[in-house]
Amino acid sequence: MSQQMRQRRGQPLFILNEDTERTRGKDAQSSNITAGKAVAESVRTTLGPRGMDKMLVSDSGDVVITNDGATILQKMDIEHPAAQMIVEVAETQEEEVGDGTTTASVLAGQLLAQAEDLVEDDIHPTTIVEGYREAARLALEAIDEVTLTDELDDELLAAVAETSMTGKGTGDIDAAALAETIVAAVQQVRSDDGVDRDAITIRTQRGAGASATELVQGVISEEEPLNDDMPTRVDDASVAVLDLDLEVREAEIDAEYDITNVDQLNAAIEAEEAELRGYAESIAEADVDVAFVTGDVDDLVASYLAKEGVLAFDSVDDDEASSIARATGARTVGTLNDFEADDLGNAEVVRVESFGDDDLAFIEGGAAAETVTVFARGGTEHVADELERALEDALDVVTAALDAGGVVPGAGATEVAISDHIRTSVASVQGRKQLAIEAYADAIDVLPRTLAENTGMDPIDALVELRSVHDAEGRAGLISQGQSGDVGDPVEYGILDPAAVKREAVESATEAATMIARIDDVISAE
Ligand code: ADP
Ligand code: MG
C-alpha cells in the first residue's frame, strides 16, 4: 500500500527520522522522573527563612544572586523536557500567586520520587494518577479547614508580607519596616473591586542602603530633563503627557528646496525655526508646567521650553507615560492642534533628584493620585535586584490574601494539617489507589522536613514532634528563630502564608507530576 493510500484512509503515519531518539516504557518513565526530581532538588536548600541563596552565572558572565525559586529555575539552562515541566510549575506559581515557587517545585519533585517507588512496586501509572488527584482534592479540603477566619487587618497583612520576605536578602533593612510599606501601598490602591495591583510600581535604585526604601505617592520616571536651564522642581504643576515628536516634520525635510541663494536658505531655516518655536509656544500657552513627551524633542524646542520655564522630558516609555497620565489625571494627546487646558493633569510636585549618575523625576500627589511607587534602595545592583524580587513577592502575597481567599498558618503547619487529613481520610479508600494517596501524604511531608533541615534541626525528630503537637493543639509549625527552630503555633509568631499560595502549589505540582508519570514513550527529533 502506498503512503498516499494509507493517508487517505485516515491512518496516522509517523515516519521517524534516522536520527530520532526514542525511549520507551519504564526507561522513559525513569529518565523523566529522574530529571524532574533533579531540578526540584536544586532549589530545595533555598526553602524557608534559613534557606541558602544560589549564585547563577550566565554564559556571558552575568551574575544573579537569589533565593527565589522561580528565578533560579528560569536562569538555569534546563533542556530536559520533563525537567522543563518542573520549571513550568514554578512559572505558573509565580504568575498565578507570585510566591511559593520553591514550595511548588519541591512538592512536584517529591511527588515524582514517590511515583517512582510506586512504579517499582508495580502500581500502574493510571492508578498513581487517580490516587494523586484524589489526594490533591483532600489537600485542598485541608487548606480550607485551616484558613484563618480572623479579619485581615493591617497587622495581619504585614505579617503575611513579612513571612514572604524572610530569608530573602533584603539588605540592611528589617523585613518588618518593608512589610509596613507594602501594606500601605496595597491599601492605597484597594477598592471594593479589589486590589489594583497594576497601580503599584516598584522602582529600585542602587546607592543608599536598603533602609532608605520609601513609599512615593505617585510615579517615578527615569528620564532626565531635556535642558539644564529647566527648573528641577515645580510645585502645583500642570502636567501634559504628549504622545508625539516635537521635531521638524518629515515632509518638510524631504521636500526638495530649490535653494539658489542665501536669502532662500535663510527663509527655509526661519520657517523651520518658526515651526519649532510654534510647538514650544502652544505648550507654554496652554499653561503647561511639566511636559512628558514619548517621542523625540528637537534641541531648539527644548531650549524654547526652558526659556518659558517649562520642565520637559522626552523618550518617556509608553508604560511610564500612561502611569503618569493616570496619576495626574492628564489626557494623553497625540497632536498639539487642539491642545487645551482640559488635557492637563495636576501634581502637587514634580521634582528631579540625582542619585549618583542617574536623575529621577518624582511626580507626586497627583490630582488623581491612585498610583503609588515603592522606591527601594539597595547598596549594590545585586542587593537592589533581590530586594525588588522580595518586594514583588510581598505585594503579591498581600494582594492574594485580600483578593484570593485569606491566609493560612505558615512554617509547615498547613502541610502537617494536609498530610494528617489525607492519612485520616485514606482508610475508606479501597485497593492500590490507597497506596498512591498515602504516597502523596508522604510527599507533602518533604516540605516541613526540608524546613527542618534548612533550620539545622533533625528532620525526623522535627516531623515526629510536629505531628504530636498538631494532634494535641491543632496547629504546629517549625518556628525558625536565630540559629535554631522550635515547634510552635505559627499564628502566634505572625508566620502566615496566603491560602492561594498553598492551593496553587498543590494544583500545579500535582498536574506536572501526574503528567510526567503517565508518559511512557519519549520520541525526540535530533
Ligand atoms: P517559596 O518560594 O516556596 O515561597 P520560601 O523560601 O519563601 O519559599 O519559603 C516559604 C516557607 O517558609 C513558607 O512555608 C513559610 O511559611 C515559611 N516561613 C517563612 N518565615 C518563617 C519563619 N520565621 N519560620 C518558619 N517558617 C517560615
Ligand atoms: Mg516565598
Side-chain angles (χ1 to χ4, degrees):
M1 187 164 37
S2 80
Q3 222 169 280
Q4 272 177 342
M5 280 169 67
R6 231 181 288 182
Q7 274 173 340
R8 229 177 286 132
R9 285 197 192 166
Q11 288 173 0
L13 175 71
F14 295 111
I15 300 168
L16 297 183
N17 182 299
E18 272 178 21
D19 292 335
T20 305
E21 269 189 44
R22 183 163 188 182
T23 354
R24 294 188 222 215
K26 285 204 174 173
D27 282 348
Q29 246 156 14
S30 83
S31 108
N32 281 337
I33 287 176
T34 308
K37 264 166 48 183
V39 171
E41 190 60 32
S42 68
V43 292
R44 218 166 79 90
T45 56
T46 70
L47 184 75
R50 298 191 48 78
M52 304 298 282
D53 294 349
K54 302 272 172 197
M55 180 189 261
L56 302 149
V57 186
S58 77
D59 284 350
S60 53
D62 290 340
V63 174
V64 175
I65 298 168
T66 186
N67 178 282
D68 188 70
T71 308
I72 296 166
L73 294 176
Q74 180 218 328
K75 303 262 177 208
M76 282 167 56
D77 202 4
I78 289 166
E79 278 183 8
H80 193 288
Q84 189 58 41
M85 290 178 69
I86 305 292
V87 179
E88 280 168 26
V89 169
E91 280 170 4
T92 311
Q93 183 80 20
E94 179 73 31
E95 272 161 35
E96 295 296 321
V97 283
D99 190 27
T101 54
T102 313
T103 300
S105 27
V106 168
L107 178 58
Q110 194 61 28
L111 286 172
L112 286 174
Q114 300 287 347
E116 190 173 36
D117 292 348
L118 293 168
V119 170
E120 265 166 31
D121 290 345
D122 273 336
I123 297 180
H124 196 270
T126 51
T127 310
I128 300 175
V129 170
E130 278 170 26
Y132 275 14
R133 293 228 171 101
E134 175 68 19
R137 194 188 58 74
L138 292 168
L140 296 178
E141 241 173 50
I143 293 169
D144 282 346
E145 259 166 49
V146 298
T147 301
L148 302 197
T149 51
D150 308 43
E151 187 204 340
L152 296 174
D153 58 14
D154 282 5
E155 200 185 323
L156 209 66
L157 293 173
V160 180
E162 202 180 328
T163 301
S164 78
M165 286 187 288
T166 31
K168 303 261 186 286
T170 44
D172 64 355
I173 194 172
D174 68 309
L178 287 177
E180 257 176 51
T181 309
I182 291 297
V183 173
V186 170
Q187 292 292 21
Q188 271 195 25
V189 300
R190 190 179 160 208
S191 68
D192 291 344
D193 299 334
V195 176
D196 186 357
R197 178 67 177 78
D198 294 339
I200 308 174
T201 311
I202 293 175
R203 183 165 299 279
T204 50
Q205 174 68 38
R206 64 203 145 100
S211 58
T213 296
E214 59 177 320
L215 187 61
V216 172
Q217 309 287 332
V219 183
I220 301 175
S221 164
E222 263 177 1
E223 297 309 322
E224 310 200 337
L226 278 170
N227 186 300
D228 288 344
D229 294 334
M230 288 177 172
T232 53
R233 181 186 175 103
V234 184
D235 289 282
D236 188 18
S238 296
V239 176
V241 179
L242 307 173
D243 185 22
L244 42 75
D245 295 309
L246 296 177
E247 292 180 315
V248 175
R249 261 170 279 140
E250 291 283 340
E252 282 173 46
I253 296 169
D254 290 346
E256 299 254 332
Y257 286 111
D258 189 10
I259 293 169
T260 48
N261 63 45
V262 177
D263 285 349
Q264 275 174 319
L265 179 62
N266 283 341
I269 292 173
E270 265 168 40
E272 288 193 354
E273 282 184 6
E275 186 191 342
L276 295 173
R277 198 175 325 118
Y279 294 148
E281 275 165 7
S282 35
I283 291 172
E285 272 162 24
D287 282 330
V288 172
D289 298 316
V290 186
F292 294 93
V293 184
T294 58
D296 296 324
V297 176
D298 192 283
D299 287 347
L300 213 51
V301 178
S303 69
Y304 288 134
L305 286 171
K307 265 190 213 120
E308 301 278 1
V310 177
L311 170 59
F313 304 84
D314 73 349
S315 323
V316 177
D317 86 35
D318 289 343
D319 286 347
E320 215 163 87
S322 63
S323 317
I324 294 168
R326 215 177 139 178
T328 59
R331 196 179 306 153
T332 306
V333 294
T335 161
L336 288 178
N337 284 343
D338 39 28
F339 184 52
E340 51 181 30
D342 246 18
D343 297 323
L344 298 183
N346 180 273
E348 236 162 63
V349 62
V350 177
R351 60 186 166 92
V352 179
E353 290 209 23
S354 300
F355 297 88
D357 293 342
D358 306 323
D359 276 357
L360 295 178
F362 290 68
I363 302 101
E364 291 175 88
E370 50 181 23
T371 58
V372 291
T373 303
V374 178
F375 184 45
R377 312 290 307 282
T380 67
E381 200 183 323
H382 293 135
V383 173
D385 287 354
E386 182 70 346
L387 180 61
E388 181 169 337
R389 282 188 286 268
L391 292 171
E392 292 280 0
D393 280 3
L395 280 176
D396 289 338
V397 292
V398 174
T399 306
L402 284 168
D403 287 355
V407 299
V408 293
T414 295
E415 288 81 353
V416 172
I418 292 174
S419 51
D420 181 56
H421 182 62
I422 294 177
R423 288 195 184 101
T424 329
S425 314
V426 79
S428 61
V429 178
Q430 300 295 316
R432 294 184 162 205
K433 201 166 95 179
Q434 188 178 27
L435 297 175
I437 298 178
E438 273 165 2
Y440 194 103
D442 294 344
I444 292 276
D445 281 344
V446 76
L447 296 164
R449 192 148 35 87
T450 305
L451 278 178
E453 273 167 23
N454 292 352
T455 314
M457 296 166 85
D458 180 274
I460 306 212
D461 290 348
L463 215 55
V464 169
E465 197 184 342
L466 275 173
R467 284 189 191 142
S468 82
V469 175
H470 171 83
D471 287 345
E473 307 187 11
R475 234 169 10 213
L478 276 176
I479 318 299
S480 158
Q481 281 171 315
Q483 297 300 309
S484 72
D486 270 320
V487 172
D489 179 357
V491 179
E492 272 172 30
Y493 293 86
I495 304 169
L496 303 165
D497 292 313
V501 167
K502 303 296 181 193
R503 273 202 302 269
E504 183 63 39
V506 163
E507 282 170 359
S508 53
T510 307
E511 196 182 283
T514 51
M515 210 180 261
I516 294 172
R518 283 168 57 111
I519 298 169
D520 74 343
D521 199 353
V522 178
I523 305 164
S524 44
E526 281 295 292

